[in-house]
Structure formats: structure tokens, C-alpha cells
Amino acid sequence: MNQAAESDPIALFRANWETYQKLLEHNYMFHQELVSASQQLIQSIERPLSLVDLGCGDASVSRTLFKNNQISRYIACDLSKSALQFAQSNLSAWSSALELNCLDMLEQLEQIPDRSLDLVFSSYAIHHLSDQSKLTLFEECFRVLNHSGWFMLIDVMRNDGQSREDYLNDYLTMVEHDWTAINSTECARITQHVRDNDFPLSPSEYQIFASQAGFHKTHLLDAHGFHQARAYQRLS
């Protein structure tokens, strides 16, 4: 990427977006399997969904995930205005119920009334948060969900007992060896991003946060190495 592109947020987004499309096309992060497993749970909710999509990005994953659902309210947030422009197009099927906000995930949750949603969804976003912010996010998710509501999480997770440094080394070794469709510039950009911004927890650590927040049931929907889909249900 040239220097002008690096200083232009729109050009930077488009470059990263093009790389992300490669990851989706080649299913390197197991989006297809994790979304399919998540759809089975979502389709068991027999009413129009009210939901918030945290860190929605371009919402291409969400478009697939919710394609068979009726939606009564769809709130989506992301910090990238460019991503939200794509999201508006990808979520056009629910335009009458759609609310797009350029907010971080916690700011968005804080604006939602208690017990007002059926579902909170986040895909490959909350591993960027600090541990304290992750706990706060679980607490806020519990607060905004109604009785029997779900927090559905697709994300990277460390192995139980694995240090962050060991996780980073293992994950980036996988990227280098297995993600053959990305070029060297993209690989370097991904490596830098992961080392600087990724702070995943293990499933056991997420379970502790979920219990502290008040969630009663946890379901492992699907797992492919570090890439997992889990759901946490409020029953009170």
C-alpha cells in the first residue's frame, strides 16, 4: 500500500475490506460453518427478532445469518463510517427496521433500554476489547436482553490455559501457512493488526464473565480451532 493510501481512511478501509473479502471467499475463519450453526439457534426463536449487531462491519455475515428471519428492530453499530455504508446496502432487506450508528459497542449498548431485545450478536469484534471492557459488555448484554434472550458470539478464542503470546504465535503461524490466497503485504498487515489489537479470552474465561453478568445457560454452537460460536442465554 502506498503512503497516500495509508493516510486516507477510506482507502485504508477499502484495502482491508478487500482482504477481508478474501478471508470470506476462502472461508479461512470458518464463517460458513459458524454462521450455519448459529442459524439453527436463531431460527428456533419463533417471532420477529429485535436485535443489536455489535461491531457489524459491512454486515455481509449478518445478511447471511438473518436471511430467513423476520426482523422487528435491527440496531447495528460500528466505528467505521465506510463500513456502515456497506452495511446499509447489505441490510436493505430490513431497511424499515434498521438503525445504523457510528458508535463503539459499549456506547451502543448503553443507549438501549433494559430488557428490550431478543438477541445481541457480535462477530469477530469483542476480542479487541480489554478484559474489563469484555466483562462490562457481558453485563450490558444481559441488561438489554429480555427473558430467554440470547447473546450470540462468533469470535476467536484462546485454548484454555494458553497465554496470549502463545496464542498469537500459533495463530499467526496458521495464517502464514494456511491463508495462501493473501499476498505478502496483506499478510504483514494482518500480522501487525493481530499482534497490536487481538486480546482473545478462552472459553472458560468467557464462561466466568457470562456467569458474573447473570447468564444462566451457555451453548457451544460450533468450534474450529480458535474460531468458535457460542451463545449465552438470559433466563431471569
Side-chain angles (χ1 to χ4, degrees):
M1 188 185 303
N2 61 36
Q3 187 173 1
E6 289 177 350
S7 63
D8 181 349
I10 295 177
L12 182 61
F13 169 80
R14 289 188 181 277
N16 291 335
W17 184 78
E18 289 169 2
T19 302
Y20 182 61
Q21 295 308 303
K22 288 185 182 181
L23 304 188
L24 289 176
E25 178 184 354
H26 294 275
N27 199 35
Y28 287 146
M29 299 173 71
F30 298 93
H31 283 88
Q32 294 174 17
E33 293 86 352
L34 299 178
V35 166
S36 178
S38 301
Q39 280 178 319
Q40 295 179 40
L41 186 148
I42 290 172
Q43 290 170 13
S44 71
I45 305 174
E46 298 179 347
R47 59 180 178 274
L49 288 174
S50 58
L51 68 102
V52 61
D53 188 345
L54 300 174
C56 65
D58 69 3
S60 56
V61 170
S62 305
R63 177 184 60 190
T64 301
L65 179 61
F66 299 115
K67 66 181 180 180
N68 296 321
N69 288 93
Q70 293 184 339
I71 305 291
S72 63
R73 186 183 186 193
Y74 196 131
I75 308 167
C77 73
D78 200 274
L79 285 174
S80 169
K81 292 181 180 180
S82 298
L84 290 172
Q85 292 177 350
F86 283 90
Q88 186 166 24
S89 175
N90 282 326
L91 300 175
S92 60
W94 306 291
S95 57
S96 62
L98 184 61
E99 177 185 330
L100 294 174
N101 297 313
C102 191
L103 295 170
D104 73 35
M105 294 180 282
L106 291 176
E107 289 175 330
Q108 178 63 80
L109 286 167
E110 289 169 358
Q111 295 186 11
I112 300 173
D114 295 358
R115 297 174 177 264
S116 60
L117 299 179
D118 300 307
L119 182 73
V120 177
F121 173 66
S122 185
S123 173
Y124 292 117
I126 78 167
H127 66 274
H128 295 136
L129 299 177
S130 69
D131 289 357
Q132 181 56 55
S133 292
K134 291 185 185 75
L135 174 57
T136 301
L137 184 138
F138 267 83
E139 292 170 342
E140 283 294 288
C141 289
F142 184 84
R143 180 186 63 79
V144 304
L145 287 169
N146 57 30
H147 176 74
S148 75
W150 292 93
F151 173 31
M152 184 171 295
L153 178 63
I154 294 176
D155 217 323
V156 287
M157 300 186 189
R158 299 195 327 253
N159 296 323
D160 284 330
Q162 184 179 40
S163 70
R164 177 176 181 264
E165 189 60 30
D166 286 345
Y167 162 84
L168 293 176
N169 291 334
D170 289 349
Y171 195 90
L172 292 172
T173 296
M174 177 194 67
V175 170
E176 183 178 358
H177 289 171
D178 297 345
W179 294 13
T180 55
I182 62 175
N183 60 43
S184 59
T185 300
E186 293 169 322
C187 187
R189 190 185 306 129
I190 289 170
T191 297
Q192 190 66 51
H193 170 84
V194 168
R195 289 205 175 276
D196 291 348
N197 298 287
D198 286 17
F199 300 91
L201 297 180
S202 68
S204 295
E205 290 169 318
Y206 276 124
Q207 180 60 56
I208 291 170
F209 282 1
S211 297
Q212 289 178 346
F215 287 97
H216 295 82
K217 292 181 67 176
T218 302
H219 292 261
L220 171 61
L221 304 177
D222 200 10
H224 298 269
F226 297 120
H227 308 91
Q228 301 194 20
R230 291 178 176 267
Y232 307 89
Q233 189 175 28
R234 173 173 184 162
L235 291 176
S236 61

